[in-house]
């Protein structure tokens, strides 16, 4: 069974960088965001849940292994946002989702969906860079800095990877899974084309 720290480390590895602070807090804190005032009113309607599931499927499509929709990543994203993230992150996510709805993501072709998500990723990266610069200026000036919500696509991507690779489908079919590991072998050669190990 994958524990929280392993899952977080795997997501960071897949993202090619560190995960955002809210995700780290959510996992290390065990989704006990007491002060977050999250939960009660947050949720997707059916159209939004379908949209989140479709976006997740573009990020992790079904191939010879299950895709994100097979692993119910949309429901995972909703649960995580509701129980573990601050209202500012929920709002940022919903704003990004609304932009995709306005661009008729659900009616778009596969190529158009990829283009829309590529643009959303660039927008998220630009926003993270801007936030970093503002944080640095505030620190240099000795001022406090109020962290804004995590940009939509960054959060979507993190939660999709986390939800998928901690799901039964992701851990057992997309990764090499050993249900009852025997002894610990610290150094094992990977075979050409071998999947990564589930932790």
């Amino acid at each position: 069974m994958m524990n929280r720290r392993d899952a977080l480390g795997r997501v960071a590895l897949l993202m090619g960088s560190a995960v955002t602070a809210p995700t780290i807090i959510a996992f290390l804190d065990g989704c006990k965001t007491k002060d977050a005032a999250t939960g009660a009113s947050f949720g997707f309607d059916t159209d939004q849940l379908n949209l989140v599931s479709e976006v997740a499927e573009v990020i992790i499509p079904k191939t010879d292994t299950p895709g994100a929709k097979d692993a119910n990543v949309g429901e995972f994203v909703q649960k995580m946002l509701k129980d573990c993230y601050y209202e500012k992150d929920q709002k940022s996510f919903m704003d990004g989702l609304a932009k995709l709805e306005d661009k008729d993501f659900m009616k778009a072709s596969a190529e158009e969906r990829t283009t829309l998500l590529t643009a959303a990723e660039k927008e998220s990266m630009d926003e993270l860079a801007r936030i970093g610069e503002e944080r640095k200026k505030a620190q240099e000036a000795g001022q406090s800095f109020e962290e804004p919500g995590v940009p939509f696509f960054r959060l979507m991507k993190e939660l999709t990877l986390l939800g998928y690779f901690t799901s039964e489908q992701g851990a057992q079919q997309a990764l090499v899974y050993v249900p009852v590991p025997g002894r610990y072998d610290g150094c094992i050669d990977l075979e050409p084309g071998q999947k990564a190990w589930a932790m």
Side-chain angles (χ1 to χ4, degrees):
M1 181 61 71
M2 187 179 294
N3 67 38
R4 287 185 193 143
R5 289 178 197 272
D6 293 337
L8 196 57
R10 183 164 297 262
V11 169
L13 182 66
L14 290 167
M15 295 286 291
S17 63
V19 294
T20 58
T23 300
I24 293 171
I25 291 168
F27 267 79
L28 297 182
D29 224 18
C31 295
K32 296 176 197 166
T33 52
K34 300 169 276 300
D35 302 326
T38 63
S41 62
F42 183 83
F44 299 145
D45 62 28
T46 303
D47 291 340
Q48 290 167 333
L49 181 59
N50 289 337
L51 177 57
V52 170
S53 297
E54 289 296 327
V55 171
E57 187 71 14
V58 173
I59 295 170
I60 303 178
K62 183 173 187 168
T63 57
D64 58 335
T65 58
K69 285 199 298 191
D70 296 321
N72 295 320
V73 168
E75 287 84 355
F76 176 84
V77 170
Q78 178 174 236
K79 180 78 173 161
M80 287 295 291
L81 284 169
K82 180 178 179 183
D83 292 348
C84 302
Y85 284 83
Y86 293 96
E87 192 173 336
K88 62 185 178 184
D89 300 314
Q90 295 170 348
K91 181 180 181 321
S92 176
F93 190 90
M94 295 306 282
D95 289 347
L97 206 58
K99 286 182 182 177
L100 286 182
E101 285 177 319
D102 291 344
K103 294 176 181 172
D104 283 333
F105 183 86
M106 294 298 279
K107 295 178 183 173
S109 67
E111 292 79 21
E112 291 168 338
R113 287 181 175 193
T114 301
T115 301
L116 288 171
L117 295 185
T118 301
E121 182 169 35
K122 182 179 182 327
E123 186 178 319
S124 289
M125 291 172 66
D126 291 346
E127 194 173 339
L128 284 171
R130 181 188 55 76
I131 292 168
E133 288 175 16
E134 289 177 3
R135 182 186 308 113
K136 184 179 176 184
K137 285 180 186 174
Q139 288 171 343
E140 288 172 354
Q143 300 170 340
S144 62
F145 179 73
E146 181 69 29
E147 292 286 340
V150 178
F152 163 72
F153 194 75
R154 179 62 183 239
L155 199 48
M156 180 72 214
K157 200 169 172 183
E158 282 182 2
L159 290 175
T160 297
L161 295 175
L162 195 57
Y164 183 75
F165 287 108
T166 56
S167 72
E168 182 178 338
Q169 292 85 354
Q172 293 186 4
Q173 296 179 49
L175 301 172
V176 177
Y177 177 74
V178 180
V180 183
R183 71 169 198 259
Y184 174 74
D185 291 320
C187 186
I188 302 173
D189 292 332
L190 287 175
E191 301 296 325
Q194 179 183 337
K195 299 174 186 173
W197 290 94
M199 292 186 187

